[in-house]
Each structure stands twice: as structure tokens, then as C-alpha cells.
């Protein structure tokens, strides 16, 4: 959409310092992210996916964008280091802890989160991370 609110939201999503959590009951943001990151081979996953953490690790390592769809009102605790961008240096390598393993962090990694809930009530702990 080209209305001013959508344009402003697009600017916040692409230029913000934190990873965006988009409330998207109609699926517009989901389609937009898919189209925008298609050339970068966006990985699409859900928190309920059994390979969720493996998908995240591979995307972080390869600098690939990830779209996490249909989140509820709580986020997986293993996402905290990713959401807080808790990178650290190990030797001369930039690393990020995902689950119980340290993963090489590629600066090109991007993370998008969408929720289909029309009126979610996120806890303050979630709100300060996104």
C-alpha cells in the first residue's frame, strides 16, 4: 500500500535498529516481506516448526533473511539473544549464541516476525525486545 502510514511503517521495518514484530491479521506485511526479500532467499519458518532453531542458525551463519510467521503473544525464549543482538567476539569472529551453540554471525542477517492476532497483548518483556 502507498498510504502514508504504510510508508512510515515500511521505513521503520527497514531502517530500525531492532527486529520488527508486525501485527498482520490480513497478511499484507507477510506478502511485502516475502516480495522484498525474495532475491535474498528469505527463509520462512514458524515457532512451531521442529527445525525452527536449525533454520535460524543457518540463516544467521549465511546472512540470510528469516520471516517467522504466526507468532502468538509469547516468543520462544531461545530467540532472546537474537532479538537483543547479543553478539560477541571469539578470536576474530563475530558470534551469536543460539540455543546451546555459538554460531558465526553474518552482518547481512535480517529477522522479521509477523503475528496474525488482530489485537495481541504482548508482555512488556516482549515489547522491549522488538
Amino acid at each position: 500500500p502507498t498510504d502514508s502510514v504504510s510508508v512510515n511503517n515500511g521505513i521503520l521495518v527497514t531502517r530500525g535498529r531492532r527486529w520488527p514484530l508486525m501485527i498482520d491479521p490480513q497478511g499484507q506485511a507477510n506478502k511485502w516481506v516475502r516480495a522484498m526479500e525474495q532475491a535474498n532467499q528469505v527463509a520462512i519458518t514458524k515457532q512451531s516448526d521442529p527445525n525452527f532453531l536449525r533454520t535460524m542458525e543457518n540463516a544467521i551463519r549465511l546472512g540470510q533473511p528469516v520471516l517467522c510467521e504466526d507468532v502468538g503473544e509469547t516468543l520462544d525464549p531461545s530467540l532472546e539473544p537474537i532479538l537483543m543482538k547479543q553478539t560477541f567476539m571469539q578470536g576474530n569472529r563475530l558470534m551469536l549464541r543460539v540455543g546451546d551453540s555459538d554460531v558465526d554471525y553474518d552482518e547481512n542477517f535480517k529477522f522479521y516476525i509477523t503475528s496474525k492476532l488482530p489485537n495481541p497483548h504482548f508482555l512488556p518483556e516482549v515489547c522491549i525486545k522488538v
Side-chain angles (χ1 to χ4, degrees):
T2 57
D3 61 284
S4 64
V5 173
S6 296
V7 170
N8 286 337
N9 286 340
I11 291 169
L12 288 172
V13 166
T14 57
R15 303 281 185 234
R17 290 191 294 154
R18 295 185 181 181
W19 303 126
L21 168 56
M22 297 168 270
I23 300 164
D24 186 31
Q26 296 176 332
Q28 288 181 319
N30 199 311
K31 284 187 238 171
W32 178 70
V33 169
R34 285 173 183 248
M36 179 178 65
E37 295 291 357
Q38 184 177 17
N40 298 325
Q41 300 173 333
V42 62
I44 298 161
T45 189
K46 297 181 180 184
Q47 286 187 123
S48 59
D49 183 355
N51 294 320
F52 176 67
L53 279 181
R54 186 172 294 119
T55 301
M56 293 299 297
E57 287 176 12
N58 290 336
I60 291 167
R61 190 177 293 116
L62 301 172
Q64 185 180 19
V66 174
L67 172 59
C68 183
E69 302 176 315
D70 304 337
V71 298
E73 292 182 345
T74 59
L75 295 177
D76 189 325
S78 62
L79 290 177
E80 183 166 342
I82 299 168
L83 294 173
M84 301 301 289
K85 299 183 181 180
Q86 294 175 340
T87 58
F88 60 93
M89 294 299 290
Q90 190 173 62
N92 61 352
R93 295 165 39 199
L94 188 60
M95 307 291 283
L96 180 74
R97 180 166 285 276
V98 179
D100 57 355
S101 60
D102 294 339
V103 178
D104 285 301
Y105 184 82
D106 188 311
E107 296 279 351
N108 295 316
F109 170 73
K110 294 178 185 169
F111 189 37
Y112 304 95
I113 310 166
T114 62
S115 174
K116 284 192 173 185
L117 300 173
N119 191 19
H121 297 285
F122 295 111
L123 294 172
E125 295 84 47
V126 172
C127 294
I128 64 170
K129 296 174 189 170
V130 292

